[in-house]
Amino acid sequence: TANEVASEITARHGDEAALAIVASTALESECRVAVERTLSVLGGLHVLVNNAALLGELRPLADYPMEVWERVMQVNVNGTLRLIQGVLPGMPDGGAIVNITSGAAGRAGRGAYAISKLALDGITGMLREELARVMDDRSSAARVAWCPGTRCSSSPGAATWS
């Protein structure tokens, strides 16, 4: 569990090395509390990994249920942006934001999941460009990366890991 992993890390590296928080990225209040607690307990955040995802239904968009669509977008897209907005102002130089996406991004028949991962590709690329402009230094803007997936690795500024 997350608590076990956090306990193992803190046993090795000290109380301010890790923190486990269970929250739903679909809920703005839970995202806000997670960010506030993290910053309060750890004093800052050097890495944010956005890995929350909801698959939804794998079916064509023409008959996709809107209630499922909205839930997938809340978790996969809106929650990611909420967390980025919450941590970015206090993130130190050299910090990193990693948005986990998928090779399924934009693929037909994959429904809201595929569109949400395509949206994460866009958020990641746009954020990287915006940070580069603000910082006036592309190397400093390497706070943003996305992985894995061959579709996203061809996008400007993408970083992929295998």
Side-chain angles (χ1 to χ4, degrees):
T1 68
N3 287 327
E4 291 169 339
V5 172
S7 294
E8 189 175 318
I9 292 170
T10 56
R12 289 184 184 178
H13 303 286
D15 288 339
E16 295 182 2
L19 175 66
I21 299 174
V22 176
S24 171
T25 61
L27 301 173
E28 182 178 357
S29 61
E30 290 192 17
C31 288
R32 187 177 54 256
V33 167
V35 168
E36 289 170 357
R37 182 159 179 242
T38 299
L39 298 178
S40 170
V41 173
L42 300 180
L45 189 66
H46 294 273
V47 178
L48 171 65
V49 178
N50 286 306
N51 191 36
L54 186 62
L55 183 60
E57 297 182 23
L58 300 179
R59 59 194 289 184
L61 294 178
D63 64 346
Y64 206 87
M66 285 307 296
E67 64 277 359
V68 177
W69 173 274
E70 290 168 358
R71 178 78 175 146
V72 170
M73 293 301 157
Q74 278 292 347
V75 171
N76 299 6
V77 179
N78 298 353
T80 295
L81 186 57
R82 284 184 190 110
L83 292 172
I84 289 169
Q85 290 174 338
V87 304
L88 192 59
M91 188 173 273
D93 286 342
I97 295 172
V98 180
N99 294 327
I100 306 298
T101 185
S102 167
R107 294 188 56 199
R110 303 291 173 101
Y113 178 80
I115 298 298
S116 74
K117 294 304 180 173
L118 194 60
L120 285 185
D121 290 350
I123 288 170
T124 304
M126 185 178 292
L127 184 60
R128 187 180 199 302
E129 291 299 315
E130 290 172 355
L131 289 173
R133 282 189 214 116
V134 168
M135 299 168 135
D136 199 32
D137 178 1
R138 273 195 170 271
S139 62
S140 295
R143 294 180 177 197
V144 182
W146 61 90
C147 61
T150 56
R151 179 173 173 72
C152 20
S153 65
S154 63
S155 299
T160 59
W161 293 266
S162 53

